[in-house]
Amino acid sequence: RRFPTVELRAETFNGSTHIPIPSDSAFLKALLFELRLVDDHVFVEQRDTCTRINHSSVYSVSTAAGELWPVLAFHKSGLIYACVPLVEGTLEPRPPLLTVSGLSQGLALLLGIMDYISPSRKNEAEMNAKIGQLRNLLIQACPLGTPLNTNIRSLNSSFEDIQEMPADKDQPAWRSSTYKGKPQVNVCITEKVKCMQYDQRDVVDTWQVYGAVNCKCDIEGSAPNVTLSLNLPTNAPPLQDIVVHHCVTSIDPAMLLSTSAEPLHDSVYNGPYKFPFIPPSESFNLCYYTSQVPVPPILGCYQLVEEESQIKITVNLKLHESIKNSFEYCEARIPFFNRGPIAHLEYKVSYGQLDLSREKSLLVWVIGQKFPKSLEVSLTGTVSFGAAGKEHPTDYVCTGNTTYVKLYFRIPDFTLTGCYVDQHSIQIFVPGKPKITASRELISSDYYIWNSKAPAPMVYKPLLD
């Protein structure tokens, strides 16, 4: 799809140096060539020289009129997704990619299109039907060439359903449809905790918490007003690095100034965090945040020592007493890279059960839904290996005794920061009493415990010289 308004703006910005977009067939031919999907067996200096190694999905495409840049394109499951974003400024010299806002908008739109089409890629007739509807959907998603709603799946697929003008002039562009029925609001706080533990005196353990507040508001009206508050327990660390959705209508500036890049001080904003907004029709993330929590939820120690033809392993895990002892699942996975399959295993676990993966390269310690009353569990064992085959897992980072335990867990109805939504504080200025559902969860993400008997990749340099 072409947008003459966008092309006219590009020409205005660049004047005589403007490179027009060629015809569809000429553009496709040039793009296939640049992506090495044609003539890839032929060395072409302009495309294949070592000085033109591309580190992103942004390309410069050769056309009869000159080099067309930037062209955002990627190849996925037999389809090419491509767009030419507008650079709001001159192209000489070329601006840094991070300064071109059109690239992130274009990527979001292409990913939305991919999300809409890709579930049907195995059914050719269904996929062709979806591609046929795409032109009509883009009228809603990208009127006049500016992406307003990149969630293509949430849009109406029939052309007749598209309103040329909103029924209400106050209806914002991000409300693609209006809801009819009983009002209801679902809010879910999801926190993910990343962790690197080393159990070494000269290396600092690190952990980070990332939160997202997802909302789905089924409310009648063209522009309903909703106010939602996030609360923290007394003396809890404040939320930081807060990023809000564009539908939020106003916000306390102090909320946005708290950043994890600076040390915490007494004057930092610690809530309650109020978000007035006009919700989109579909599910969306109202905000993202981080927080500097004092301890990780599970403290661990892993020791692996090689003795002759076998290795000895010891794993100790302790759930911090401030953490809710109620898991949907909790397991520790112990991989053995660059070795043969496990031929012999002797072990003792104080709690839970130990399973061996089908390819015999991974121990899975299923702790279950609760830690014991002591909040501590341990595993000891000896492992020996057979001859390694080509199909056995390898890893370039974890060689020899440099290895790790990776934890996987989910704790429902709990957040590490203590952040929660008070259902009674949600204000919805519409008739009728809405049904409000609030939930929260803590999920592990890249939660590693490294072997303390071997060097491990460091996130930070050792504190001691």
Side-chain angles (χ1 to χ4, degrees):
R1 183 172 181 86
R2 291 169 176 267
F3 296 95
T5 51
V6 180
E7 294 190 52
L8 182 61
R9 291 184 65 199
E11 189 174 353
T12 303
F13 279 124
N14 291 282
S16 60
T17 61
H18 172 66
I19 304 297
I21 298 176
S23 66
D24 291 356
S25 58
F27 177 77
L28 177 60
K29 184 178 178 181
L31 181 62
L32 290 174
F33 178 80
E34 183 62 33
L35 294 176
R36 294 180 174 84
L37 295 175
V38 294
D39 296 335
D40 61 325
H41 59 286
V42 180
F43 177 80
V44 179
E45 185 172 355
Q46 181 185 0
R47 179 190 67 182
D48 302 319
T49 176
C50 292
T51 59
R52 244 192 111 179
I53 297 174
N54 208 46
H55 298 288
S56 69
S57 297
V58 181
Y59 297 90
S60 177
V61 174
S62 296
T63 69
E67 293 283 316
L68 182 64
W69 183 93
V71 176
L72 182 60
F74 58 87
H75 186 227
K76 186 77 173 177
S77 303
L79 294 174
I80 299 168
Y81 299 85
C83 68
V84 183
L86 173 69
V87 178
E88 298 190 76
T90 60
L91 293 177
E92 295 295 340
R94 284 185 184 176
L97 295 183
L98 288 176
T99 65
V100 182
S101 60
L103 285 172
S104 56
Q105 294 173 354
L107 181 60
L109 183 65
L110 293 181
L111 292 175
I113 294 172
M114 185 180 75
D115 184 53
Y116 167 71
I117 290 176
S118 59
S120 309
R121 66 180 185 273
K122 293 181 180 177
N123 184 328
E124 190 173 345
E126 185 180 329
M127 188 174 75
N128 288 337
K130 281 194 170 185
I131 291 174
Q133 295 168 351
L134 198 54
R135 186 175 181 84
N136 293 341
L137 294 174
L138 283 173
I139 294 175
Q140 303 171 73
C142 201
L144 301 178
T146 301
L148 298 179
N149 186 353
T150 57
N151 187 351
I152 306 298
R153 285 197 295 178
S154 71
L155 302 174
N156 297 318
S157 59
S158 64
F159 193 74
E160 291 75 17
D161 290 341
I162 299 172
Q163 300 175 2
E164 289 189 11
M165 289 292 290
D168 189 326
K169 62 181 176 58
D170 295 325
Q171 181 173 335
W174 57 84
R175 279 186 70 79
S176 55
S177 59
T178 53
Y179 172 78
K180 297 291 183 184
K182 187 177 180 181
Q184 52 188 2
V185 175
N186 290 293
V187 184
C188 179
I189 302 175
T190 298
E191 285 187 358
K192 294 186 177 182
V193 55
K194 292 188 174 186
C195 194
M196 289 278 180
Q197 297 182 37
Y198 303 99
D199 191 36
Q200 295 183 15
R201 289 182 59 188
D202 60 341
V203 184
V204 179
D205 294 346
T206 64
W207 56 92
Q208 299 161 310
V209 180
Y210 304 89
V213 181
N214 184 268
C215 299
K216 179 71 168 73
C217 302
D218 294 325
I219 304 171
E220 290 188 357
S222 57
N225 287 292
V226 181
T227 299
L228 181 148
S229 293
L230 299 181
N231 297 275
L232 293 173
T234 308
N235 298 326
L239 305 184
Q240 297 177 289
D241 305 322
I242 297 174
V243 178
V244 299
H245 192 273
H246 59 72
C247 72
V248 175
T249 52
S250 64
I251 198 165
D252 189 329
M255 203 188 295
L256 304 178
L257 293 175
S258 179
T259 167
S260 58
E262 297 176 2
L264 288 174
H265 49 82
D266 294 338
S267 63
V268 74
Y269 191 91
N270 57 3
Y273 302 86
K274 281 194 170 186
F275 299 92
F277 60 96
I278 299 173
S281 310
E282 68 277 359
S283 173
F284 70 103
N285 285 329
L286 176 66
C287 70
Y288 301 91
Y289 62 85
T290 67
S291 183
Q292 299 181 41
V293 295
V295 291
I298 299 176
L299 288 165
C301 170
Y302 176 38
Q303 295 184 345
L304 180 149
V305 180
E306 203 153 356
E307 293 183 355
E308 297 177 356
S309 61
Q310 64 181 18
I311 63 172
K312 288 188 175 182
I313 60 170
T314 303
V315 185
N316 294 307
L317 301 175
K318 178 176 171 45
L319 180 69
H320 194 270
E321 58 268 15
S322 65
I323 306 302
K324 181 182 178 183
N325 190 10
S326 178
F327 294 78
E328 181 181 308
Y329 58 85
C330 181
E331 66 182 41
R333 298 184 185 180
I334 311 169
F336 296 98
F337 299 115
N338 311 307
R339 304 175 188 268
I342 295 173
H344 182 71
L345 171 65
E346 290 183 13
Y347 68 91
K348 180 182 178 181
V349 290
S350 67
Y351 197 77
Q353 67 181 54
L354 191 69
D355 298 324
L356 179 61
S357 67
R358 184 181 297 178
E359 68 276 10
K360 297 185 177 180
S361 64
L362 178 73
L363 296 181
V364 181
W365 181 12
V366 180
I367 297 165
Q369 296 180 318
K370 270 187 179 294
F371 274 66
K373 283 187 177 180
S374 65
L375 302 182
E376 295 186 42
V377 294
S378 63
L379 159 68
T380 57
T382 57
V383 186
S384 57
F385 302 90
K390 287 184 179 180
E391 72 287 347
H392 205 71
T394 59
D395 191 289
Y396 297 108
V397 175
C398 301
T399 56
N401 291 351
T402 300
T403 183
Y404 59 79
V405 174
K406 189 174 182 182
L407 298 187
Y408 296 81
F409 57 82
R410 177 181 181 270
I411 307 178
D413 194 28
F414 180 80
T415 50
L416 198 53
T417 60
C419 184
Y420 66 95
V421 173
D422 182 359
Q423 296 186 36
H424 301 293
S425 72
I426 297 179
Q427 299 175 327
I428 304 174
F429 303 98
V430 291
K433 188 177 181 181
K435 179 184 177 183
I436 298 173
T437 307
S439 60
R440 54 185 187 160
E441 61 183 356
L442 176 67
I443 302 174
S444 63
S445 171
D446 296 333
Y447 204 106
Y448 292 94
I449 301 166
W450 291 90
N451 177 23
S452 61
K453 297 293 185 181
M458 301 302 174
V459 176
Y460 297 116
K461 292 181 179 179
L463 289 181
L464 303 177
D465 293 324

